[in-house]
Amino acid sequence: MAFEDKTLKCKDCGADFVFTVGEQEFYAEKGFENEPARCRDCRDSRKRGRDGDGRGGQREMHEAVCAQCGATTQVPFKPRNDRPIYCRDCFTAQKG
């Protein structure tokens, strides 16, 4: 399939940006079905915002007790009693 550069409009800032042939090939290779909705600057800005609470600040952390080792730990979500919480070491061991 032959691709051509496309000019798209950013849904955040309204600026025109180019969806290049290389980017289109990458999207096709990864199986992405939707074209990007944001320009590079707005995408980068959103990524930086995710490092915190989505607004550029620090995440609110909540104390919890690890279900495996009993250590007190902090997690970036409000713990519920329907699922176990693990400290970083036990979580890593569970994943591996």
Side-chain angles (χ1 to χ4, degrees):
M1 177 176 194
F3 294 105
E4 292 183 17
D5 286 355
K6 291 183 182 181
T7 301
L8 304 175
K9 186 170 288 296
C10 178
K11 79 177 201 177
D12 285 351
C13 71
D16 288 340
F17 67 98
V18 177
F19 185 33
T20 66
V21 169
E23 291 171 325
Q24 292 176 54
E25 289 170 346
F26 174 79
Y27 272 54
E29 179 182 304
K30 295 295 183 182
F32 299 152
E33 296 179 5
N34 299 321
E35 295 178 341
R38 293 177 178 85
C39 66
R40 171 78 54 202
D41 290 340
C42 288
R43 286 194 310 249
D44 289 346
S45 177
R46 284 177 57 90
K47 284 180 187 175
R48 282 191 304 276
R50 277 185 261 169
D51 291 341
D53 64 359
R55 296 182 300 266
Q58 291 290 336
R59 279 186 172 179
E60 181 180 358
M61 299 299 280
H62 303 273
E63 276 199 6
V65 176
C66 177
Q68 187 164 333
C69 72
T72 301
T73 189
Q74 291 195 338
V75 293
F77 56 88
K78 192 161 188 146
R80 301 185 317 211
N81 293 327
D82 64 334
R83 304 188 87 173
I85 304 289
Y86 299 105
C87 66
R88 181 177 304 273
D89 292 337
C90 292
F91 180 77
T92 302
Q94 288 274 337
K95 275 180 40 175

